[in-house]
Every structure is written in C-alpha cells, then in structure tokens.
Amino acid sequence: MPVEFLGIGGTHDGSETHARSGGVFDKEYTLRLARAHEDFGWDRVLFAYGSGSPDPAQAAAYVATKLDKLQILLAHRPNVSYPTFAAKTFATLDRISDGRLTVHFITGGNDHEQQREGDYLTKDQRYARTREAIQIIKKAWTSDEPFGFDGEYYRFADYVSDVRPVQNPRPGVSFGGSSPAAYAAGSAEADIYCLWGEPLAQTAEQIESVQAAALAAGRTDVPRIQVAFRPIIAPTEELAWEKAYATVGAIKDRTQGGQPLTRRHKLTEPENTGSQRLLALAAQGERFDRALWTPTAAATGGAGNSNALVGTPETVAQALLDYYDLGVEILSARGYDMLGDTIDFGRYVIPIVREEVAKRDASRAAQATRTPAEDALAVDG
C-alpha cells in the first residue's frame, strides 16, 4: 500500500509559536516553503482557507507555475462560490498544474467564521450543502453534455463546462470531519477522508465509522484515510521533549489573557466535533501510544491539526508507521517552524517511513505469491 506525505503551503512564516515577520502573502516565502517540500520528498501541500486569508487558489496557481512535481491540495468552502463556477476554477488550476490538483472541501465548523462571508446555515445544513456541491462539481468536471440540478441548496439548468481537468476522469476530492453528519456526507462523496491525529484506538474507530458510512451510502469502495499531526523532532529524546515544552510555552505566551491565535478559532468551547474530541482527549492525559502528545492541542483550544508526535526521527517515524498499519495511506505533518521543520522532517523522517513501507509491501507481495506447500513449510519452520 503506497504512502503519501502532505505538508502545508503557507503564505507567510507565522505559526502558533510566533507572529509572521512580513505580509500575509509573502510570495518569496510561499515559493521557498513549497520548494522545500518538493526538494525533501513530500508529495503534496495544502493551501488552506480562511475568511480573511489570501485566496488559496491563486496562491496554489502561483506555486504550480514555479514547480514541476509538487502536488496541490486546495481547500475550498462551498459557501464562497457557486459550484459551477468553482468547478471551472478547479479545472483551470488542474490545467495550470498539469494534473496535480486535489480539492479539499471544508464544510465549516464555526458559525461566526462562516457568517463573516454571509453563510448563516446550521452545521448540518452546511454538510448537506457540501454534499450537493461535490456532486455538482464532479459532474461538471466529467460531463460532455449539458445537465441541470434541482437540489435543496442549488438549482440550475443546461450547464456544461468548456474547461476540463487534465486528470481523467477528474481530480481527487478530499473531505474532513468527525461528526455523524460529516461521516455521512464525506464518506459518500470523498476519495480521501481526513482525520486529526488521535490515539490509535480512537483512529481505528473513526476509520470504521468512515468505512461503514461509505458502505451505507451504496459505495463499493471506501475513501483513503489521511491523518494529520504536528511533529516535534530532535536528535535525542531528551532534546525532543525540551523542544516540545518550549513549543507549548511559546504558544501560551501568545495566548495570554485568553487571546485566540486566529480569528477562526476560540481557545475554549469550540463548536466543531473534531476540536471537541481533541480537547476531551487532552483532558484525559498528555501522552498516548508511542509518541502522541496532547498539550499542543490544549494550548490552542483544539484548533485544527494540533496534536503532536514527539521524539527522535526514528520514534516519530515508527509512530507514523503504527497509523499506516491501521490503514492510513496519507500522513499529514506540519511543524511550528514551517520551513525548518519541513526540511528536517523530509530529511530525517520521510525516508525511514518510506523504507519501512517498502519492506512491508515486499513482504505482503511475497506472502501473496507463496504456495500452500511453502506456507506449511513456513509454519513448520
């Protein structure tokens, strides 16, 4: 089973531990960070979405014209454009990137953030709308004939797009969420289902929920699973843990007085299920499994991908392999020093994981070709 690595397509050098040093869209830094991912073995980067952030589609297009191999995961919230228009935007970007686009659909877990751009639907309504949007965009990418749609949130007639994606039949669709409504919508439509890093047992339960929802939706396949972490690595375990506690200290310095790190996410009482799960986990304890550490999530209010993996490159790689062995095919990682951590993770962690995955794949292939007599001999031996 192949493994892929997803990084972050940041447009400036700021993170939870330090404020940005320049503008919110620093072209030179954006390209430098993307190039570091391409040079150090990453497969894809995410261009995230926020109501006041630079347009991720244009940032992604800028990077796509400068780099040849790096794939793009473009975040999109369906409330910001009509699906037929969005489909053209994505198809054009797939053309610009020579077929390197995947689209990540964000339903939105914070009512206030959604309302900043005129979206006053409830969360369950937003999930239903996202499902309709994905259905329309998929058809717009693939249909040669005009078609119409008469749904709860979208209605149009006689639409056909003149711009088609490079990828055949279409770009991939990515989706995330941890509520029953999310499982139902995303498992029915997505090629990739994204989860935030939780202990192995809880991750296995979520994977089962996603797969069950996909089968309930009538699918004959199931989405690939992606899990996201914040790696904190150093040459020794002692140095890694010193770095981890310094990281949380820097986050707490920035959130003194209860100030949130972004306008999108409060430090307490988050509305979205994923963040609620992360905070509940942090309340249970700090360390889980081989390297999972929750204080980073607690310090940020469970904001997005915020649970850490702490240790040497070998420890963190083995922790990632534990998730791979659960069936996770895409490993998402983002450091707090985005550029430096991108290079270190790519240099020291990714090669270990890829080598071990290759060994696992070779062993499975050998097992699949063994005869019954060889199996019996292996048992006797």
Side-chain angles (χ1 to χ4, degrees), residues 24 68 82 101 167 197 201 211 319 336 359 381:
V24 69
D68 297 324
Y82 207 76
L101 177 68
Q167 296 178 74
Q211 293 175 342
Y336 292 94
K359 290 178 181 177

Side-chain angles (χ1 to χ4, degrees), residues 142-363:
T142 57
S143 179
D144 292 320
E145 300 296 328
F147 70 96
F149 191 87
D150 189 3
E152 186 175 357
Y153 300 97
Y154 301 108
R155 182 184 179 191
F156 59 87
D158 199 38
Y159 177 79
V160 65
S161 176
D162 291 329
V163 56
R164 300 289 290 275
V166 170
Q167 296 178 74
N168 186 21
R170 58 173 177 78
V173 167
S174 171
F175 187 97
S178 297
S179 67
Y183 294 145
S187 299
E189 301 295 340
D191 305 299
I192 299 168
Y193 202 101
C194 306
L195 304 170
W196 290 334
E198 296 187 13
L200 293 164
Q202 285 90 326
T203 301
E205 291 171 357
Q206 289 211 78
I207 292 172
E208 289 179 4
S209 295
V210 169
Q211 293 175 342
L215 297 175
R219 291 180 61 162
T220 57
D221 63 345
V222 294
R224 299 167 67 204
I225 300 296
Q226 172 185 304
V227 179
F229 304 95
R230 305 301 293 270
I232 300 175
I233 63 172
T236 68
E237 295 292 331
E238 181 180 9
L239 289 173
W241 286 105
E242 287 180 9
K243 184 177 178 181
Y245 285 109
T247 297
V248 169
I251 295 171
K252 289 180 177 179
D253 286 344
R254 293 200 66 205
T255 56
Q256 285 185 349
Q259 292 297 316
L261 290 165
T262 73
R263 296 178 70 243
R264 281 178 275 171
H265 196 96
K266 301 181 295 183
L267 287 179
T268 59
E269 300 179 351
E271 298 172 26
N272 60 307
T273 303
S275 294
Q276 292 168 6
R277 288 175 65 101
L278 296 188
L279 291 183
L281 182 65
Q284 295 173 27
E286 290 192 355
R287 297 193 191 186
F288 294 84
D289 300 325
R290 194 187 299 266
L292 191 72
W293 196 55
T294 64
T296 46
T300 60
N305 168 23
S306 52
N307 270 341
L309 291 177
V310 181
T312 63
E314 292 78 11
T315 295
V316 170
Q318 291 302 320
L320 291 169
L321 286 162
D322 290 338
Y323 288 89
Y324 174 83
D325 290 337
L326 285 182
V328 176
E329 297 182 49
I330 303 171
L331 300 168
S332 174
R334 173 165 58 99
Y336 292 94
D337 170 10
M338 287 193 293
L339 182 59
D341 289 341
T342 291
I343 294 170
D344 286 346
F345 187 89
R347 178 178 285 153
Y348 300 116
V349 178
I350 289 178
I352 297 174
V353 176
R354 291 202 192 279
E355 182 179 356
E356 290 300 318
V357 166
K359 290 178 181 177
R360 284 163 164 76
D361 288 347
S363 176

Side-chain angles (χ1 to χ4, degrees), residues 362-380:
S363 176
R364 292 191 188 101
Q367 181 72 27
T369 59
R370 284 202 319 206
T371 66
E374 289 171 330
D375 283 336
L377 184 61
V379 171
D380 292 340

